[in-house]
Amino acid sequence: MHFPIDCIALTLKRKQKQASRKPGRKFMEGAVRFAGWRAVQDSNTLSEDEAPESGRVYTMFHGTHIDNAKDIIINGFKQSTRGMLGKGVYVSRNIQKAKCYPLRTDKNDQVVFKLKVNVGKVKKIDVDYHPLRTTWHDDGYDCAWVPPHSNISAIKSGREEDCVWDTKRITVVDVACCVDEGKRRNLRNLIRRHVSSDECPACRQSSPDLPHDVRDCWACGGRICPFEKEHVCTAQQYVQ
């Protein structure tokens, strides 16, 4: 949007006049100061047939037995020692795929976790005899991705699947499915308690690998963190 020069000049004069009324505050001629922000994040949701981009974080799902659910929330995932793609944690962007696991388990004993997965460097595996089918991590990859309707005979459903090597790349964020609502509620409370212990008090997010440089807002004095999605500054005279 463009504004006439005389309109901009009038705005600056008004700002100067407002600043002059408040002792101890200076207004630089020709400059407008801003406070507060709103961040716009890229979507972390892909359709099943879209290839994941290396280094991105995506929403995925994992099905497990309810007896393992608490341990996963508290202590994190453990690598499967075997599987179609070798060692790793098996997840999927397709929740229907996750609902099929563990195999041969009663639905009342199943839990599907909603996850936040940092895929790292991704290798596409789409045929039975791919040379890196079980050794992709040895070649420097963090995640193996099997697209839907691939030529891998072991996947009868044709649904998308991923295998993540490093368990620290996976964070449980919610319980997507659990037949017993009471147990689902208890697991969700456990997730909130566990995550909150690592949360930044300002942004309420957990990013252990990155420092949260919490500072005072120069305008309103409120405590702010650069990871916050937005900071609504209460110093109205500076908000544009």
Side-chain angles (χ1 to χ4, degrees):
M1 183 179 293
H2 299 281
F3 295 96
I5 294 177
D6 56 346
C7 179
I8 296 174
L10 180 60
T11 301
L12 290 173
K13 287 180 180 179
R14 286 176 179 170
K15 289 293 180 182
Q16 290 171 348
K17 189 174 181 180
Q18 290 173 2
S20 65
R21 293 174 182 169
K22 298 184 181 295
R25 283 188 174 162
K26 296 181 180 180
F27 186 86
M28 295 176 62
E29 186 173 355
V32 178
R33 304 186 76 178
F34 294 86
W37 73 82
R38 176 171 295 158
V40 178
Q41 296 181 321
D42 291 337
S43 173
N44 62 352
T45 303
L46 289 176
S47 64
E48 190 183 2
D49 57 347
E50 286 184 87
E53 295 181 27
S54 292
R56 296 288 298 276
V57 176
Y58 296 109
T59 297
M60 298 191 188
F61 302 92
H62 176 87
T64 188
H65 195 284
I66 196 164
D67 290 345
N68 301 325
K70 288 184 179 180
D71 185 59
I72 290 174
I73 294 170
I74 296 171
N75 299 311
F77 284 94
K78 296 177 182 178
Q79 282 187 333
S80 296
T81 56
R82 59 182 181 177
M84 176 186 66
L85 299 171
K87 292 177 65 176
V89 179
Y90 286 78
V91 296
S92 178
R93 280 180 261 146
N94 188 323
I95 191 172
Q96 299 305 322
K97 172 83 172 181
K99 285 181 177 180
C100 296
Y101 292 89
L103 297 173
R104 296 176 292 278
T105 301
D106 189 280
K107 292 294 182 184
N108 292 315
D109 295 326
Q110 287 181 317
V111 171
V112 176
F113 283 127
K114 181 180 179 181
L115 313 170
K116 181 173 65 176
V117 181
N118 183 339
V119 294
K121 188 177 179 182
V122 181
K123 182 62 181 178
K124 179 180 178 181
I125 308 290
D126 57 356
V127 292
D128 274 329
Y129 300 103
H130 194 289
L132 299 181
R133 176 169 165 173
T134 60
T135 60
W136 43 272
H137 182 257
D138 296 338
D139 268 43
Y141 293 95
D142 302 300
C143 177
W145 172 59
V146 179
H149 311 296
S150 66
N151 294 315
I152 294 183
S153 57
I155 303 181
K156 305 299 183 184
S157 66
R159 291 168 176 157
E160 182 266 357
E161 188 165 338
D162 306 79
C163 184
V164 181
W165 179 269
D166 187 354
T167 60
K168 293 181 181 178
R169 290 184 173 274
I170 307 171
T171 303
V172 177
V173 296
D174 196 10
V175 179
C177 297
C178 181
V179 173
D180 189 317
E181 282 300 321
K183 291 180 179 179
R184 183 180 189 180
R185 184 166 53 252
N186 290 338
L187 290 173
R188 280 179 161 172
N189 289 336
L190 184 60
I191 291 171
R192 282 194 289 269
R193 289 199 303 271
H194 179 67
V195 171
S196 63
S197 63
D198 298 324
E199 280 183 352
C200 167
C203 70
R204 299 298 182 187
Q205 297 184 61
S206 176
S207 304
D209 297 330
L210 296 171
H212 288 235
D213 189 15
V214 179
R215 303 275 183 107
D216 292 337
C217 173
W218 62 266
C220 68
R223 297 292 282 170
I224 57 175
C225 173
F227 287 91
E228 288 182 83
K229 292 182 179 179
E230 66 177 2
H231 170 59
V232 180
C233 186
T234 56
Q236 295 296 329
Q237 65 271 18
Y238 289 111
V239 179
Q240 303 301 310

